[in-house]
Amino acid sequence: MLPLFGSFRIGRWFGFPIRIDYSWFPVAALVIWTFSTREFPRALPFYPSSTYLAMGTAAALLFFLSVLLHELGHALAGRMRGVTVEHITLFIFGGIAQARDEPRRPLDEFLLTAAGPLTSLALAGLFHAARLAAEAWYASPPVITVLGFLALLNFVLAVFNMIPGFPLDGGRIFRSIVWAVTGDLLRATRWATRGGRLFGAALIALGLFNLSRGQFISGLWAAFIGWFVVNAAASSLRHFELRYLMRHIPVAAVMSPRPRAIEAGLSVERAISDFFLRGRQEAYAVERDGGLIGVVDVRAVSEVPANLRAGTPVSAVTRPAEEFPVAQPDESLVDALFGLRAGASSLLVIRDGFVVGALDPREVVARVRRMQRLGLVSPEQVAGSGGTAGADIRTPPAKSA
């Protein structure tokens, strides 16, 4: 995953939630400053500073809209190829259409990735046509300059993204080709990541060279973008390998032992004091004579008035287990976590109507990393076994209460 810093939602477009990462704001300010104080005064001299500021602000906002449309192209193509995109986020130096999982076939990745640069090329043509129309209608020079600049920026965005280094679009297209030839997604991802690191290192070297020649702004930009690409490549590879493992590790391998269950006749007051205050879980299985009758969560018991809790049995606020996120022991971690609803902090693991464990999403990554350090599982093992590593992971049987 790319190194993001937290984000907030601003709306929804074509069914996709749109978010802005906090890293976007300082970069947006820097882009506006660069446009207003360097690019536009150089391209169109002898205008007041207020005009350059207006041009820089308009160009920056329209360029970030172009980036959003670039990512929307990925998302719409992904929807057509059966890849679920959860949201689109604008962040430092671009955007990302966050998919739930990797594409299932090389062709899917090729098509949904190519949709982004093609969208940028289309926008470049659109802004160029708008510039020609503005000239024909004798629009003001600042308007013509901004439209021409946006056409150039979108063309550069398309070309820049086609560089064959992961996680850039060109790197993903390169990965899809290697994947199609070798049939090995892990190897293809690692090859593409090397390309991303080499490209980032080359940008850093170029930036340092420009700085040594006194070209401060261009050198700083090149070095900063290169640093970001190198880190993004490494972060994306780690995230891919983690998801690659989780796709083949069963829930049983990392779940906690069978959690305590609440007896249906226990009072809400005792359930709060003995379970919800002392345990870490937000929800507990409710049993009667050893059989599962449902689940009770912290919200349900909190809604019982304090003066009625001593006389209200837990069964009165128990809801069917089907209404809560549950998982099967042999289900993959990826599938189990994708089924987790927003706000839920844990899943109960159920087999044949009995609770056999619990899965805390906050602990999954740490436990998978620990399994890697202990040599119990690795991406190479998964790839070497044809994607069936989960079946080879041995876990102790869940203890019965």
Side-chain angles (χ1 to χ4, degrees):
M1 178 177 286
L2 296 177
L4 308 183
F5 301 94
S7 61
F8 62 94
R9 180 171 167 174
I10 61 171
R12 181 181 291 268
W13 209 356
F14 290 90
F16 302 106
I18 308 299
R19 307 184 67 86
I20 291 184
D21 189 78
Y22 293 114
S23 66
W24 178 85
F25 290 97
V27 172
L30 182 58
V31 168
I32 291 174
W33 177 81
T34 302
F35 288 175
S36 302
T37 62
R38 294 182 60 85
E39 300 300 330
F40 290 131
R42 183 184 304 165
L44 195 69
F46 310 121
Y47 275 79
S49 299
S50 58
T51 300
Y52 294 136
L53 179 60
M55 293 171 66
T57 302
L61 293 178
L62 286 172
F63 177 64
F64 286 121
L65 176 62
S66 300
V67 172
L68 177 58
L69 291 173
H70 175 108
E71 298 303 326
L72 189 62
H74 289 308
L76 290 173
R79 176 184 289 172
M80 294 175 62
R81 303 301 299 184
V83 177
T84 301
V85 174
E86 294 185 319
H87 55 80
I88 297 172
T89 303
L90 288 179
F91 66 104
I92 180 173
F93 296 136
I96 181 172
Q98 183 64 54
R100 278 192 172 187
D101 201 5
E102 300 291 338
R104 297 297 182 181
R105 297 176 299 176
L107 180 61
D108 294 337
E109 169 145 72
F110 181 90
L111 293 176
L112 72 88
T113 303
L118 289 176
T119 300
S120 294
L121 287 177
L123 288 170
L126 183 64
F127 279 116
H128 180 66
R131 175 182 175 275
L132 295 178
E135 288 180 337
W137 285 89
Y138 301 104
S140 64
V143 171
I144 296 172
T145 302
V146 168
L147 291 174
F149 193 62
L150 287 167
L152 176 62
L153 282 177
N154 276 279
F155 179 77
V156 170
L157 178 63
V159 173
F160 178 83
N161 267 282
M162 286 305 296
I163 293 172
F166 198 74
L168 298 174
D169 291 341
R172 292 185 178 275
I173 289 175
F174 174 66
R175 180 176 76 160
S176 71
I177 295 171
V178 177
W179 182 13
V181 172
T182 65
D184 188 337
L185 179 58
L186 177 62
R187 182 191 303 177
T189 304
R190 287 178 171 173
W191 284 14
T193 300
R194 292 190 190 102
R197 288 172 171 168
L198 287 173
F199 173 62
L203 277 179
I204 293 174
L206 176 62
L208 294 176
F209 177 73
N210 287 343
L211 287 172
S212 69
R213 299 181 61 189
Q215 299 175 7
F216 180 75
I217 297 298
S218 62
L220 185 63
W221 268 112
F224 193 26
I225 293 175
W227 169 84
F228 178 78
V229 170
V230 169
N231 281 273
S235 177
S236 297
L237 179 61
R238 288 194 301 269
H239 183 64
F240 165 79
E241 290 184 342
L242 178 64
R243 292 176 70 167
Y244 190 75
L245 287 173
M246 289 172 59
R247 190 183 305 147
H248 303 293
I249 295 178
V251 169
V254 298
M255 71 181 185
S256 300
R258 183 183 189 277
R260 295 173 61 196
I262 301 177
E263 185 61 34
L266 193 71
S267 70
V268 169
E269 184 177 66
R270 286 285 305 279
I272 291 175
S273 62
D274 295 353
F275 290 83
F276 290 100
L277 288 179
R278 295 183 180 180
R280 298 178 58 187
Q281 294 176 224
E282 297 277 325
Y284 287 88
V286 179
E287 295 182 349
R288 179 180 286 119
D289 299 327
L292 178 68
I293 68 169
V295 178
V296 64
D297 63 0
V298 66
R299 183 176 62 179
V301 297
S302 67
E303 291 176 350
V304 178
N307 61 327
L308 299 180
R309 291 175 180 177
T312 302
V314 168
S315 59
V317 290
T318 297
R319 291 159 57 191
E322 294 77 14
E323 297 183 12
F324 289 82
V326 298
Q328 296 291 324
D330 57 352
E331 187 177 6
S332 79
L333 287 173
V334 166
D335 291 337
L337 294 179
F338 283 160
L340 188 64
R341 293 199 302 267
S345 61
S346 63
L347 302 97
L348 292 176
V349 184
I350 297 179
R351 177 168 50 203
D352 299 328
F354 293 93
V355 177
V356 296
L359 189 67
D360 188 338
R362 296 166 296 185
E363 298 178 353
V364 167
V365 172
R367 292 186 179 184
V368 172
R369 295 295 191 199
R370 189 177 303 124
M371 292 173 67
Q372 283 186 275
R373 289 197 300 270
L374 294 172
L376 299 176
V377 67
S378 69
E380 290 78 11
Q381 291 172 359
V382 172
S385 61
T388 58
D392 299 326
I393 300 172
R394 301 179 181 273
T395 54
K399 298 179 180 179
S400 59

